[in-house]
Amino acid sequence: MSEPPPPFRRTDLPVELRVDDLLGRMTLEEKIDQLHQCGASDTNPNNLALRPDAFRPTYGSFIVGGSPAVLEVRNACQRRVVTESRLGIPAVFAADVIHGYRALAPLPLAQACTWDPELVRRGCALAAAEARAQGIDWTFAPMVDHCVDARWGRIAETFGESPHAASAFSAASVRGFQGEQLGGRDSVAACLKHYVGYGASEGGRDYVYTGISPQSLWEMHLPPFEAGIRAGARTVMSGFNDLNGVPASANQYTLTEILRRRWGLTGPVVSDWDSVVQLVNQGFAADDAEAAEKAFTAGLDIDMSSGLYRDHLAAHVAAGRVTLAAVDEAVRRVLRLKFELGLFERPYAEANALTDAAPDPGQFALLEELAARSLVLLKNDGVLPLAASARRIALLGPLAADSAPLLGCWAQYGQPAETQSIAQALKERLPAGVQLRVEQGCSIQGAASDNPAAAVEVARESDLVILCVGEDGPMSGENASRTTLRLAGRQEELVQAVAATGKPIVLVLVSGRPLELAAFEGKMSAIVAAWAGGTRAAAALADTLLGRRNPSGRLAVTWPRTTGQIPLYHNMRPRGRGGDQGAYRDMPTTPLYEFAHGLGYTTFGYGALRLDRTEVKPDGRLVAEVTVTNTGACEGVETVFWFIRDPAASITRPLKELKHFEQASLAPGASRVFRFAIEPRRDLSFPDDDGRSVLEPGEIILLVGGQSASFRVTR
Ligand code: NOJ
């Protein structure tokens, strides 16, 4: 008779019992190995290869990536783990699936410009299904950092500057990645990152100090993490940043007090790559051993890559600097995640139709919807949609015929060859008889072969110019800080030279951040922020330029006129003097394009703002409504943004804060009533410097669609 399976192998038992049973069987070394994470790739030199001497089969988790054969590498690694370790505890495999796997959606910042969390959820669900098909159990996403400095390359990975919006997209992404239930065929565990404050990197530089007031930490940085955890996110990644002198990867207040005690996170917190060993560089630990101790005792469970837990935790336990109970608790979190993912029952991933599959037309509809809805029409003098009278079109600029930049940063599994360029998409769609001439003019970053004159020549012989400029993928994302938002290389010179021809120009911006347009914005007939729109970016853009789609994206970030205005954001505090006092002397102080700005091919009229009362008690409810009518000639999506302003409070409050948004597609002539049901404790309070919610009686101003109304919160 065969032995009955040990309790931890029994699926009929509750997870917590299985965890306890397994933990009771583990040696200290086996436990500590569960807290170690390293790479498992056969091509990435940063990662461990699959050499037998390179890892112990008791390691808890691996990062896969860098190899085209992700599924094979993953399963080969798992086989060693499961068959060569004493207890056969399966490993969990993680990867950076940020805005898709091989079928890429737009960058997160672009996705936020759709203002459609449900659409974003669907995009994440597609990414999860593709990632699962490669054996990825856990994605390092969503990134929910708060950033108001576009010099920082990682602004591309954020959901923009509004904590309210980022919270909505954080929750939507978590639901998309994790699905109904963890362990499902199309589900991966989500990881909220980079906890916390990383987006406030000084000067837009990466991996640096972030000085954030405690109140601002609670108000601007923590809410999207809390929203993600409430939506069920199982894991969190700690940031690289030095948070007010106590690095985020060794910060007891944020890691233990907030995440565990207040928010009740039950899954593990993983460090960012080497952020434990970097505590030494940051001057927070004297040596590796102290770095391990400080990170671990602060509440960081898994050490990604640096190996310091593996090398030093046992000695800390022996010396009493780290308790065994704390090690058990951290291991419990890792094991809990593995049980929830079903890894004990299904340690190996199976190939399916999505494995190694090129994006297919079945996915195109969703990818195109995401890409099209994230486009923001910043300016339009009427040249768009393109009129049939434009018979000779010049398609110019370094982004005109190059598909790779459309994929953006974190596109390691994306294939430029499977991505249409803007030139290809336009050619496919332009009616017969329309001539499209393509000329690059210059490269993105500058090269000896740059030849703006050739592009100018083509412009001269055309009726209209579509000029595609911006950034390539590596110019945004991690370690991609810039001192200026100006176009790189000779692109500005190209824009100016083409503008000098006097031809109408539709400027298409492909980028991971707002770009500086001050020098030539006035000369452009239309400007489209196309971001890096992913695999189907070009199709979405071409359809929009030709009027087959009506653009509806609205900026999720304030667009400055010039780099020197940074930081500039809608929810700034008011300044002490009005008028020109304190304003810039050399340029307007206002942004080029406000937060939530975006045009379309139709117009919307707002009826009078109505409130159902003028006073509301803290636990009461006040309903505001406004009727919006499509007053133009084509169907369009309108997003209604509701802001509040608290004009006098015990601490200064922002000029305006986004509190609610909602959208609908309206046919020409159609109207819809949009409502904001205000619950004062939820919508009108603010956090103090320890996160306690403060609701004060007094006046509140509500702003929507260029109107405002005020009401009072009473006792
Ligand atoms: C470093 C990045 O900061 C983080 O976002 C990413 O998830 C890890 N590396 C793993 O690749």
Side-chain angles (χ1 to χ4, degrees), residues 268-617:
V269 180
V270 60
S271 78
D272 202 343
W273 186 275
D274 272 349
S275 67
V276 177
V277 67
Q278 286 167 19
L279 295 173
V280 178
N281 301 344
Q282 287 170 315
F284 193 68
D287 52 31
D288 290 359
E290 195 185 11
E293 180 190 343
K294 284 193 153 179
F296 186 79
T297 54
L300 181 71
D301 303 306
I302 301 176
D303 171 13
M304 184 197 291
S305 152
S306 75
L308 300 194
Y309 283 9
R310 177 197 57 198
D311 299 344
H312 298 283
L313 271 193
H316 287 320
V317 172
R321 289 183 292 267
V322 163
T323 66
L324 194 55
V327 172
D328 282 353
E329 205 40 58
V331 175
R332 220 177 233 118
R333 293 174 189 133
V334 176
L335 297 178
R336 195 176 281 137
L337 176 70
K338 294 182 175 187
F339 281 114
E340 286 183 329
L341 283 167
L343 286 166
F344 286 83
E345 291 72 49
R346 296 175 302 280
Y348 303 109
E350 281 171 25
N352 65 30
L354 288 175
T355 306
D356 295 328
D360 66 64
Q363 300 164 339
F364 287 179
L366 176 57
L367 296 178
E368 285 175 26
E369 181 75 2
L370 272 158
R373 298 278 308 283
S374 66
L375 294 178
V376 184
L377 180 58
L378 296 170
K379 175 179 179 179
N380 187 15
D381 68 3
V383 69
L384 290 180
L386 295 179
S389 54
R391 308 305 291 171
R392 297 175 307 161
I393 297 177
L395 179 65
L396 310 178
L399 278 308
D402 187 359
S403 62
L406 302 177
L407 298 177
C409 56
W410 292 110
Q412 60 268 43
Y413 311 106
Q415 316 274 331
E418 295 163 2
T419 309
Q420 264 191 342
S421 69
I422 297 172
Q424 286 166 333
L426 270 173
K427 266 182 208 148
E428 237 177 57
R429 287 167 177 74
L430 281 173
V434 175
Q435 181 200 71
L436 184 75
R437 286 177 66 193
V438 183
E439 189 64 53
Q440 145 166 331
C442 68
S443 56
I444 294 173
Q445 307 242 31
S449 56
D450 288 353
N451 185 2
V456 171
E457 200 45 44
V458 175
R460 269 204 200 96
E461 292 159 11
S462 307
D463 305 320
L464 174 125
V465 176
I466 301 171
L467 184 47
C468 306
V469 295
E471 303 183 319
D472 57 23
M475 287 175 76
S476 63
E478 188 184 349
N479 197 13
S481 304
R482 298 186 70 77
T483 59
T484 175
L485 308 185
R486 288 178 69 166
L487 289 167
R490 295 176 67 184
Q491 294 186 82
E492 237 181 62
E493 179 191 335
L494 174 71
V495 176
Q496 294 286 16
V498 173
T501 64
K503 302 288 174 161
I505 300 175
V506 175
L507 190 73
V508 174
L509 304 170
V510 173
S511 67
R513 51 160 69 81
L515 297 171
E516 183 169 326
L517 311 176
F520 48 80
E521 193 253 358
K523 301 176 189 171
M524 303 295 114
S525 294
I527 303 179
V528 183
W531 313 108
T535 306
R536 297 300 293 169
L541 175 71
D543 280 345
T544 305
L545 297 179
L546 294 169
R548 297 182 189 180
R549 282 181 179 270
N550 182 358
S552 62
R554 302 282 184 269
L555 289 177
V557 280
T558 299
W559 194 294
R561 290 169 198 274
T562 172
T563 315
Q565 288 181 314
I566 291 173
L568 196 64
Y569 48 98
H570 78 282
N571 40 0
M572 296 191 299
R573 304 304 226 263
R575 66 174 194 265
R577 291 190 182 187
D580 74 343
Q581 295 286 294
Y584 291 117
R585 296 288 149 207
D586 55 344
M587 197 169 271
T589 303
T590 52
L592 184 60
Y593 304 117
E594 304 253 358
F595 173 80
H597 168 75
L599 309 170
Y601 298 153
T602 186
T603 46
F604 293 97
Y606 280 63
L609 168 60
R610 301 179 296 271
L611 309 187
D612 71 344
R613 63 195 64 237
T614 53
E615 288 192 349
V616 61
K617 286 195 169 18

Side-chain angles (χ1 to χ4, degrees), residues 63 96 140 154 193-194 198 237 240 272-273 304 410 478:
I63 304 178
D96 288 289
F140 293 140
R154 306 201 80 167
K193 70 186 190 184
H194 306 83
Y198 179 41
M237 183 189 294
F240 286 126
D272 202 343
W273 186 275
M304 184 197 291
W410 292 110
E478 188 184 349

Side-chain angles (χ1 to χ4, degrees), residues 163-185:
H164 175 79
S167 299
F169 290 114
S170 170
S173 310
V174 168
R175 293 195 182 100
F177 285 129
Q178 295 193 167
E180 295 284 297
Q181 209 193 334
L182 225 53
R185 217 193 74 164

Side-chain angles (χ1 to χ4, degrees), residues 119-176:
L119 185 59
V120 169
R121 184 199 65 76
R122 288 171 53 210
C124 292
L126 170 61
E130 271 204 298
R132 274 305 300 146
Q134 303 298 144
I136 293 161
D137 311 301
W138 180 17
T139 179
F140 293 140
M143 195 263 230
V144 296
D145 293 323
H146 174 71
C147 169
V148 291
D149 188 339
R151 291 172 299 180
W152 193 51
R154 306 201 80 167
I155 194 171
E157 300 171 58
T158 73
F159 289 122
E161 72 193 30
S162 157
H164 175 79
S167 299
F169 290 114
S170 170
S173 310
V174 168
R175 293 195 182 100

Side-chain angles (χ1 to χ4, degrees), residues 48-129:
L48 281 186
L50 279 174
R51 298 190 320 263
D53 61 327
F55 72 82
R56 289 199 284 260
T58 38
Y59 285 170
S61 54
F62 296 87
I63 304 178
V64 281
S67 158
V70 172
L71 183 72
E72 284 144 56
V73 172
R74 185 257 190 223
N75 279 342
C77 181
Q78 186 75 302
R79 191 153 292 112
R80 280 204 54 208
V81 168
V82 168
T83 60
E84 295 175 26
S85 65
R86 189 178 67 94
L87 292 163
I89 302 172
V92 53
F93 293 85
D96 288 289
V97 181
I98 309 297
H99 55 111
Y101 185 82
R102 186 155 160 183
L104 285 159
L107 294 170
L109 179 60
Q111 293 191 39
C113 296
T114 65
W115 295 94
D116 189 342
E118 171 55 18
L119 185 59
V120 169
R121 184 199 65 76
R122 288 171 53 210
C124 292
L126 170 61

